[in-house]
Amino acid sequence: MNANKKLGVFIASAIVLAVLPFVVGSTLGNSWVRTIDFALLYVMLALGLNIVVGFAGLLDLGFIAFYAVGAYTFALLGSPHFDIHLPFYISIPLGALCAALFGLLLGTPVLKLKGDYLAIVTLGFGEIIRIFMNNLNAPINITNGPQGINLIDPIQIGGLSMGKTIDVAGFALNPVHMYYYLFLALTVGVVIMAYRLQYSRIGRAWVAMREDQIAASAMGLNIRNIKLLAFALGALSGGVAGGLFASFQGFISPESFGLLESIMILAMVVLGGMGHIPGVILGAVVLTIAPEILRDVIGPLQMHTFGRMIVDPENARMLLFGLAMVIMMLTRPEGMWPSKRRKAEFEDAKKG
Amino acid sequence: MAEVLLKIEGIHKRFGGLHALNNVALHINKGEIYGLIGPNGAGKTTMFNVLTGLYTPDEGTFTFDGKDLFRAPPHIVVAGGIARTFQNIRLFHEMTALENVMVGRHIRSKAGALGAILRTKAAREEEAAIEAKAWELLKYVGIDDVAHERARNLSYGHQRRLEIARALATEPKLLALDEPAAGMNPKETEDLKTLMEKIRNDGVTVLLIEHDVKLMMGLCDRIAVLDYGKKIAEGVPEVVRKDPKVIEAYLGAAHS
């Protein structure tokens, strides 16, 4: 691509992204804008997990824990629960930092583990965090247990609260619209961070470690530090997404941070194209939007063809989803949009 | 008397009941090509792994260039100035030749995650320097024409050279090569010999494990012979090749 064409693509996508919530909001309704907001959150999460799984090659099945840490940090620092109301520009970075610390906390004991063993420990870690959130309401009530934390402060920039619809020059600006722009800005930040890391000394070290840990250490790479850095940086973006989620929803409970969520994020990374940033973004968007489309389609479709509900739409949705994953993994295991390197790895693996 | 670069003494390494290295001592002088030979299973590669920090020895002393490296982890050993290649080539196969060498520069550069994310001036300059140095090393070993090829697609001889370039990228004082000529034809072996002499003449001490005794005799300044985990001989090639214990180890007692 030459520079002019690149600039053209950039401007075109900037315009599309800028008007997207209004176009979608006025044609499909604001619930779809909300879905897009969630897609952006998942892009951030998937890019964070991609650092750990895609770049460094460490299988992490408990990634949602960092999302939870970010969300709970934000919620505890901005809700009537403790009656603390810190501004978001303090509590989001704090949440990200806490998540990164938890990343180190998880990373340290699993330094020697890889593959399946690592997956099992990280899975356990994810569950431990969730169970802690569920039970830390006694003897001192920290997380409010299964009831969760309610009335979390919306994000406030200057005098502008993102929790209420405002009127800008006759335009009704909904919370979903405002959050969209905030999420978009931060997603762009995370994308830039991921790109820059990938093409850096650190990114190279991750790939080297993924390909051959012994050779990497014989080349002087400090495997321990490189692994911990991957866990911490991955967790960092998970923490940012978590804080945003808490303020966007206004309510969080341990239920939102289950194993299924971890698996969904991993599926986004794998299905999109592990280690390839555009692929991972695509994976996150598709896996957030597709279930919503299915939700809207399956019910009416059954009513239309059979005149009654045969399969509960929620079950059918998961069924189709699972089927799609299986087919995808059988026919295109490298993902929807893999990097050249990853594609080559899969081709070499096939050749044996 | 030449200056001693590497000095190990009384090294023991056991794997369960196997005494892989038994009281081995090596002194390698600055600027020489030092050969380590021995029959299969003699402990050569174990010695190598001990020297490069992949194995921790059970007993002994290990000083290199004035630094104590006994039981030091690999990255400390590399930082201290020992770099290695592997008997069965271990490149980063899906990375390009250039990227492989750039990984070797890791230990001699320091840009952290924050520098990378903010793309600071220092980080950008360092990255450019890493790339320039990598190009220089690819030229040095004579494979800069395949810099953008994936390592996997390189010919065998090129892969060997790439491994050497990657090791040189860490700026070693001692370059340890584990059977670099294995599987090479006579022409490639001859070229490799020239390369090793060039490396030595540029001030890097070379430690070499090799099966090709003829190559070793013509190339090495001094040779040590290992057998069953023990050093049975050490000295200049002409003396070592006539040592009855060496002949026995290689050919069996009847020939001595």
Side-chain angles (χ1 to χ4, degrees), chain A residues 182-214:
Chain A
L182 177 71
F183 288 3
L184 186 64
L186 285 162
T187 305
V188 168
V190 172
V191 171
I192 291 174
M193 172 180 120
Y195 258 111
R196 290 187 166 181
L197 280 172
Q198 183 174 18
Y199 298 105
S200 75
R201 173 174 173 266
I202 305 292
R204 256 194 321 273
W206 283 331
V207 176
M209 176 176 78
R210 192 186 77 211
E211 290 212 7
D212 189 335
Q213 192 171 320
I214 289 177

mmCIF file of all heavy atoms in Angstrom, chain A residues 182-214:
data_model
loop_
_atom_site.group_PDB
_atom_site.id
_atom_site.type_symbol
_atom_site.label_atom_id
_atom_site.label_comp_id
_atom_site.label_asym_id
_atom_site.label_seq_id
_atom_site.Cartn_x
_atom_site.Cartn_y
_atom_site.Cartn_z
ATOM 1 N N LEU A 182 -15.735 7.333 24.121
ATOM 2 C CA LEU A 182 -14.715 7.098 25.143
ATOM 3 C C LEU A 182 -14.041 5.739 24.907
ATOM 4 O O LEU A 182 -12.810 5.620 24.908
ATOM 5 C CB LEU A 182 -15.358 7.130 26.531
ATOM 6 C CG LEU A 182 -14.403 6.819 27.673
ATOM 7 C CD1 LEU A 182 -13.425 7.969 27.868
ATOM 8 C CD2 LEU A 182 -15.156 6.543 28.966
ATOM 9 N N PHE A 183 -14.879 4.727 24.689
ATOM 10 C CA PHE A 183 -14.339 3.374 24.478
ATOM 11 C C PHE A 183 -13.478 3.351 23.219
ATOM 12 O O PHE A 183 -12.428 2.722 23.187
ATOM 13 C CB PHE A 183 -15.466 2.340 24.326
ATOM 14 C CG PHE A 183 -16.201 2.043 25.604
ATOM 15 C CD1 PHE A 183 -15.880 2.721 26.772
ATOM 16 C CD2 PHE A 183 -17.195 1.085 25.641
ATOM 17 C CE1 PHE A 183 -16.552 2.460 27.957
ATOM 18 C CE2 PHE A 183 -17.866 0.814 26.816
ATOM 19 C CZ PHE A 183 -17.558 1.503 27.971
ATOM 20 N N LEU A 184 -13.959 4.031 22.205
ATOM 21 C CA LEU A 184 -13.224 4.046 20.940
ATOM 22 C C LEU A 184 -11.833 4.645 21.151
ATOM 23 O O LEU A 184 -10.824 4.085 20.709
ATOM 24 C CB LEU A 184 -13.990 4.849 19.893
ATOM 25 C CG LEU A 184 -13.403 4.819 18.479
ATOM 26 C CD1 LEU A 184 -13.447 3.403 17.916
ATOM 27 C CD2 LEU A 184 -14.153 5.775 17.565
ATOM 28 N N ALA A 185 -11.804 5.760 21.886
ATOM 29 C CA ALA A 185 -10.515 6.417 22.122
ATOM 30 C C ALA A 185 -9.565 5.472 22.847
ATOM 31 O O ALA A 185 -8.400 5.319 22.473
ATOM 32 C CB ALA A 185 -10.726 7.689 22.929
ATOM 33 N N LEU A 186 -10.093 4.808 23.886
ATOM 34 C CA LEU A 186 -9.216 3.929 24.655
ATOM 35 C C LEU A 186 -8.839 2.679 23.857
ATOM 36 O O LEU A 186 -7.729 2.168 23.975
ATOM 37 C CB LEU A 186 -9.867 3.557 25.981
ATOM 38 C CG LEU A 186 -9.822 4.722 26.965
ATOM 39 C CD1 LEU A 186 -10.819 4.541 28.090
ATOM 40 C CD2 LEU A 186 -8.420 4.890 27.534
ATOM 41 N N THR A 187 -9.786 2.200 23.041
ATOM 42 C CA THR A 187 -9.467 1.038 22.203
ATOM 43 C C THR A 187 -8.343 1.387 21.247
ATOM 44 O O THR A 187 -7.396 0.610 21.072
ATOM 45 C CB THR A 187 -10.701 0.587 21.404
ATOM 46 O OG1 THR A 187 -11.764 0.362 22.322
ATOM 47 C CG2 THR A 187 -10.424 -0.696 20.645
ATOM 48 N N VAL A 188 -8.435 2.572 20.654
ATOM 49 C CA VAL A 188 -7.357 3.003 19.752
ATOM 50 C C VAL A 188 -6.032 3.029 20.518
ATOM 51 O O VAL A 188 -4.997 2.567 20.022
ATOM 52 C CB VAL A 188 -7.679 4.382 19.134
ATOM 53 C CG1 VAL A 188 -6.453 4.962 18.434
ATOM 54 C CG2 VAL A 188 -8.837 4.256 18.151
ATOM 55 N N GLY A 189 -6.109 3.524 21.764
ATOM 56 C CA GLY A 189 -4.900 3.528 22.598
ATOM 57 C C GLY A 189 -4.338 2.134 22.797
ATOM 58 O O GLY A 189 -3.136 1.904 22.650
ATOM 59 N N VAL A 190 -5.221 1.176 23.102
ATOM 60 C CA VAL A 190 -4.771 -0.205 23.334
ATOM 61 C C VAL A 190 -4.214 -0.805 22.047
ATOM 62 O O VAL A 190 -3.197 -1.518 22.066
ATOM 63 C CB VAL A 190 -5.923 -1.072 23.896
ATOM 64 C CG1 VAL A 190 -5.517 -2.539 23.963
ATOM 65 C CG2 VAL A 190 -6.310 -0.591 25.279
ATOM 66 N N VAL A 191 -4.853 -0.494 20.913
ATOM 67 C CA VAL A 191 -4.360 -1.009 19.630
ATOM 68 C C VAL A 191 -2.949 -0.486 19.361
ATOM 69 O O VAL A 191 -2.045 -1.250 19.000
ATOM 70 C CB VAL A 191 -5.307 -0.614 18.468
ATOM 71 C CG1 VAL A 191 -4.677 -0.959 17.125
ATOM 72 C CG2 VAL A 191 -6.643 -1.308 18.611
ATOM 73 N N ILE A 192 -2.776 0.822 19.597
ATOM 74 C CA ILE A 192 -1.442 1.396 19.364
ATOM 75 C C ILE A 192 -0.417 0.751 20.292
ATOM 76 O O ILE A 192 0.678 0.371 19.877
ATOM 77 C CB ILE A 192 -1.479 2.926 19.558
ATOM 78 C CG1 ILE A 192 -2.296 3.562 18.435
ATOM 79 C CG2 ILE A 192 -0.064 3.509 19.572
ATOM 80 C CD1 ILE A 192 -2.533 5.038 18.602
ATOM 81 N N MET A 193 -0.811 0.579 21.537
ATOM 82 C CA MET A 193 0.093 -0.051 22.502
ATOM 83 C C MET A 193 0.484 -1.450 22.025
ATOM 84 O O MET A 193 1.664 -1.806 22.020
ATOM 85 C CB MET A 193 -0.597 -0.126 23.861
ATOM 86 C CG MET A 193 0.160 -0.928 24.894
ATOM 87 S SD MET A 193 -0.708 -0.978 26.497
ATOM 88 C CE MET A 193 -0.953 -2.723 26.676
ATOM 89 N N ALA A 194 -0.519 -2.213 21.585
ATOM 90 C CA ALA A 194 -0.234 -3.590 21.160
ATOM 91 C C ALA A 194 0.693 -3.598 19.946
ATOM 92 O O ALA A 194 1.644 -4.382 19.883
ATOM 93 C CB ALA A 194 -1.541 -4.320 20.851
ATOM 94 N N TYR A 195 0.420 -2.705 18.987
ATOM 95 C CA TYR A 195 1.261 -2.649 17.785
ATOM 96 C C TYR A 195 2.695 -2.299 18.133
ATOM 97 O O TYR A 195 3.644 -2.917 17.660
ATOM 98 C CB TYR A 195 0.725 -1.601 16.804
ATOM 99 C CG TYR A 195 -0.041 -2.220 15.671
ATOM 100 C CD1 TYR A 195 -1.412 -2.060 15.564
ATOM 101 C CD2 TYR A 195 0.619 -2.988 14.714
ATOM 102 C CE1 TYR A 195 -2.123 -2.642 14.545
ATOM 103 C CE2 TYR A 195 -0.088 -3.575 13.685
ATOM 104 C CZ TYR A 195 -1.458 -3.397 13.601
ATOM 105 O OH TYR A 195 -2.145 -3.991 12.595
ATOM 106 N N ARG A 196 2.830 -1.280 18.950
ATOM 107 C CA ARG A 196 4.182 -0.830 19.272
ATOM 108 C C ARG A 196 4.947 -1.888 20.039
ATOM 109 O O ARG A 196 6.148 -2.056 19.844
ATOM 110 C CB ARG A 196 4.117 0.480 20.047
ATOM 111 C CG ARG A 196 3.659 1.597 19.155
ATOM 112 C CD ARG A 196 3.732 2.922 19.831
ATOM 113 N NE ARG A 196 3.595 3.995 18.861
ATOM 114 C CZ ARG A 196 3.646 5.276 19.187
ATOM 115 N NH1 ARG A 196 3.825 5.632 20.435
ATOM 116 N NH2 ARG A 196 3.517 6.181 18.253
ATOM 117 N N LEU A 197 4.233 -2.588 20.923
ATOM 118 C CA LEU A 197 4.909 -3.657 21.664
ATOM 119 C C LEU A 197 5.349 -4.767 20.720
ATOM 120 O O LEU A 197 6.445 -5.295 20.818
ATOM 121 C CB LEU A 197 3.979 -4.233 22.733
ATOM 122 C CG LEU A 197 3.877 -3.428 24.007
ATOM 123 C CD1 LEU A 197 2.780 -3.996 24.886
ATOM 124 C CD2 LEU A 197 5.201 -3.444 24.764
ATOM 125 N N GLN A 198 4.458 -5.087 19.776
ATOM 126 C CA GLN A 198 4.769 -6.192 18.872
ATOM 127 C C GLN A 198 6.060 -5.928 18.103
ATOM 128 O O GLN A 198 6.900 -6.812 17.973
ATOM 129 C CB GLN A 198 3.617 -6.395 17.894
ATOM 130 C CG GLN A 198 3.850 -7.581 16.983
ATOM 131 C CD GLN A 198 2.652 -7.875 16.097
ATOM 132 O OE1 GLN A 198 1.773 -7.033 15.915
ATOM 133 N NE2 GLN A 198 2.620 -9.065 15.549
ATOM 134 N N TYR A 199 6.192 -4.703 17.578
ATOM 135 C CA TYR A 199 7.385 -4.396 16.806
ATOM 136 C C TYR A 199 8.424 -3.699 17.661
ATOM 137 O O TYR A 199 8.831 -2.579 17.389
ATOM 138 C CB TYR A 199 7.027 -3.546 15.592
ATOM 139 C CG TYR A 199 6.096 -4.280 14.667
ATOM 140 C CD1 TYR A 199 4.749 -3.963 14.600
ATOM 141 C CD2 TYR A 199 6.576 -5.337 13.899
ATOM 142 C CE1 TYR A 199 3.894 -4.663 13.770
ATOM 143 C CE2 TYR A 199 5.721 -6.044 13.071
ATOM 144 C CZ TYR A 199 4.389 -5.698 13.011
ATOM 145 O OH TYR A 199 3.551 -6.411 12.201
ATOM 146 N N SER A 200 8.794 -4.333 18.744
ATOM 147 C CA SER A 200 9.797 -3.743 19.618
ATOM 148 C C SER A 200 10.704 -4.851 20.110
ATOM 149 O O SER A 200 10.495 -6.028 19.834
ATOM 150 C CB SER A 200 9.129 -3.069 20.818
ATOM 151 O OG SER A 200 8.685 -4.049 21.727
ATOM 152 N N ARG A 201 11.689 -4.444 20.844
ATOM 153 C CA ARG A 201 12.607 -5.397 21.453
ATOM 154 C C ARG A 201 11.841 -6.401 22.320
ATOM 155 O O ARG A 201 12.127 -7.598 22.312
ATOM 156 C CB ARG A 201 13.588 -4.574 22.305
ATOM 157 C CG ARG A 201 14.523 -5.354 23.152
ATOM 158 C CD ARG A 201 15.512 -4.398 23.806
ATOM 159 N NE ARG A 201 16.341 -5.083 24.778
ATOM 160 C CZ ARG A 201 16.060 -5.139 26.076
ATOM 161 N NH1 ARG A 201 14.996 -4.545 26.566
ATOM 162 N NH2 ARG A 201 16.865 -5.785 26.890
ATOM 163 N N ILE A 202 10.850 -5.890 23.045
ATOM 164 C CA ILE A 202 10.070 -6.750 23.925
ATOM 165 C C ILE A 202 9.237 -7.750 23.110
ATOM 166 O O ILE A 202 9.183 -8.937 23.419
ATOM 167 C CB ILE A 202 9.122 -5.892 24.804
ATOM 168 C CG1 ILE A 202 9.914 -4.836 25.577
ATOM 169 C CG2 ILE A 202 8.293 -6.758 25.734
ATOM 170 C CD1 ILE A 202 10.817 -5.376 26.635
ATOM 171 N N GLY A 203 8.576 -7.236 22.064
ATOM 172 C CA GLY A 203 7.743 -8.104 21.237
ATOM 173 C C GLY A 203 8.561 -9.219 20.600
ATOM 174 O O GLY A 203 8.120 -10.367 20.529
ATOM 175 N N ARG A 204 9.745 -8.864 20.139
ATOM 176 C CA ARG A 204 10.626 -9.885 19.553
ATOM 177 C C ARG A 204 10.990 -10.936 20.585
ATOM 178 O O ARG A 204 11.027 -12.127 20.296
ATOM 179 C CB ARG A 204 11.898 -9.211 19.059
ATOM 180 C CG ARG A 204 11.981 -9.027 17.570
ATOM 181 C CD ARG A 204 13.363 -8.686 17.119
ATOM 182 N NE ARG A 204 14.090 -7.791 17.994
ATOM 183 C CZ ARG A 204 14.029 -6.475 17.933
ATOM 184 N NH1 ARG A 204 13.275 -5.869 17.045
ATOM 185 N NH2 ARG A 204 14.731 -5.740 18.761
ATOM 186 N N ALA A 205 11.255 -10.477 21.796
ATOM 187 C CA ALA A 205 11.619 -11.423 22.852
ATOM 188 C C ALA A 205 10.461 -12.383 23.127
ATOM 189 O O ALA A 205 10.672 -13.576 23.325
ATOM 190 C CB ALA A 205 11.990 -10.661 24.124
ATOM 191 N N TRP A 206 9.225 -11.874 23.115
ATOM 192 C CA TRP A 206 8.066 -12.745 23.335
ATOM 193 C C TRP A 206 7.986 -13.823 22.263
ATOM 194 O O TRP A 206 7.791 -14.992 22.558
ATOM 195 C CB TRP A 206 6.766 -11.936 23.353
ATOM 196 C CG TRP A 206 6.550 -11.197 24.634
ATOM 197 C CD1 TRP A 206 6.989 -11.559 25.871
ATOM 198 C CD2 TRP A 206 5.840 -9.962 24.812
ATOM 199 N NE1 TRP A 206 6.610 -10.627 26.797
ATOM 200 C CE2 TRP A 206 5.900 -9.655 26.184
ATOM 201 C CE3 TRP A 206 5.169 -9.110 23.945
ATOM 202 C CZ2 TRP A 206 5.304 -8.513 26.714
ATOM 203 C CZ3 TRP A 206 4.569 -7.976 24.468
ATOM 204 C CH2 TRP A 206 4.640 -7.677 25.836
ATOM 205 N N VAL A 207 8.134 -13.402 21.013
ATOM 206 C CA VAL A 207 8.028 -14.379 19.925
ATOM 207 C C VAL A 207 9.155 -15.408 20.034
ATOM 208 O O VAL A 207 8.929 -16.614 19.890
ATOM 209 C CB VAL A 207 8.062 -13.687 18.550
ATOM 210 C CG1 VAL A 207 8.048 -14.721 17.438
ATOM 211 C CG2 VAL A 207 6.891 -12.742 18.407
ATOM 212 N N ALA A 208 10.347 -14.929 20.329
ATOM 213 C CA ALA A 208 11.482 -15.847 20.468
ATOM 214 C C ALA A 208 11.209 -16.866 21.567
ATOM 215 O O ALA A 208 11.425 -18.062 21.391
ATOM 216 C CB ALA A 208 12.754 -15.066 20.761
ATOM 217 N N MET A 209 10.683 -16.391 22.683
ATOM 218 C CA MET A 209 10.377 -17.283 23.795
ATOM 219 C C MET A 209 9.298 -18.292 23.402
ATOM 220 O O MET A 209 9.389 -19.468 23.724
ATOM 221 C CB MET A 209 9.903 -16.458 24.993
ATOM 222 C CG MET A 209 9.476 -17.288 26.178
ATOM 223 S SD MET A 209 9.038 -16.240 27.557
ATOM 224 C CE MET A 209 7.405 -15.702 27.078
ATOM 225 N N ARG A 210 8.302 -17.814 22.652
ATOM 226 C CA ARG A 210 7.225 -18.708 22.223
ATOM 227 C C ARG A 210 7.782 -19.799 21.309
ATOM 228 O O ARG A 210 7.391 -20.950 21.396
ATOM 229 C CB ARG A 210 6.166 -17.894 21.475
ATOM 230 C CG ARG A 210 4.884 -18.645 21.235
ATOM 231 C CD ARG A 210 3.938 -17.852 20.365
ATOM 232 N NE ARG A 210 4.331 -17.889 18.974
ATOM 233 C CZ ARG A 210 4.115 -16.912 18.108
ATOM 234 N NH1 ARG A 210 3.533 -15.816 18.484
ATOM 235 N NH2 ARG A 210 4.497 -17.038 16.865
ATOM 236 N N GLU A 211 8.706 -19.420 20.442
ATOM 237 C CA GLU A 211 9.199 -20.395 19.468
ATOM 238 C C GLU A 211 10.157 -21.406 20.080
ATOM 239 O O GLU A 211 10.123 -22.574 19.715
ATOM 240 C CB GLU A 211 9.867 -19.657 18.307
ATOM 241 C CG GLU A 211 8.858 -18.931 17.469
ATOM 242 C CD GLU A 211 9.268 -18.872 16.016
ATOM 243 O OE1 GLU A 211 10.268 -19.504 15.645
ATOM 244 O OE2 GLU A 211 8.579 -18.195 15.262
ATOM 245 N N ASP A 212 11.040 -20.965 20.939
ATOM 246 C CA ASP A 212 12.013 -21.886 21.515
ATOM 247 C C ASP A 212 12.575 -21.275 22.786
ATOM 248 O O ASP A 212 13.473 -20.444 22.751
ATOM 249 C CB ASP A 212 13.142 -22.156 20.505
ATOM 250 C CG ASP A 212 14.056 -23.283 20.987
ATOM 251 O OD1 ASP A 212 14.135 -23.513 22.206
ATOM 252 O OD2 ASP A 212 14.691 -23.912 20.130
ATOM 253 N N GLN A 213 12.027 -21.734 23.902
ATOM 254 C CA GLN A 213 12.394 -21.103 25.166
ATOM 255 C C GLN A 213 13.860 -21.341 25.513
ATOM 256 O O GLN A 213 14.519 -20.461 26.058
ATOM 257 C CB GLN A 213 11.481 -21.634 26.276
ATOM 258 C CG GLN A 213 11.607 -20.820 27.537
ATOM 259 C CD GLN A 213 10.559 -21.191 28.559
ATOM 260 O OE1 GLN A 213 9.398 -21.427 28.223
ATOM 261 N NE2 GLN A 213 10.948 -21.272 29.811
ATOM 262 N N ILE A 214 14.377 -22.519 25.189
ATOM 263 C CA ILE A 214 15.770 -22.822 25.537
ATOM 264 C C ILE A 214 16.720 -21.961 24.716
ATOM 265 O O ILE A 214 17.646 -21.344 25.257
ATOM 266 C CB ILE A 214 16.051 -24.323 25.336
ATOM 267 C CG1 ILE A 214 15.316 -25.107 26.423
ATOM 268 C CG2 ILE A 214 17.545 -24.608 25.388
ATOM 269 C CD1 ILE A 214 15.441 -26.586 26.315
#
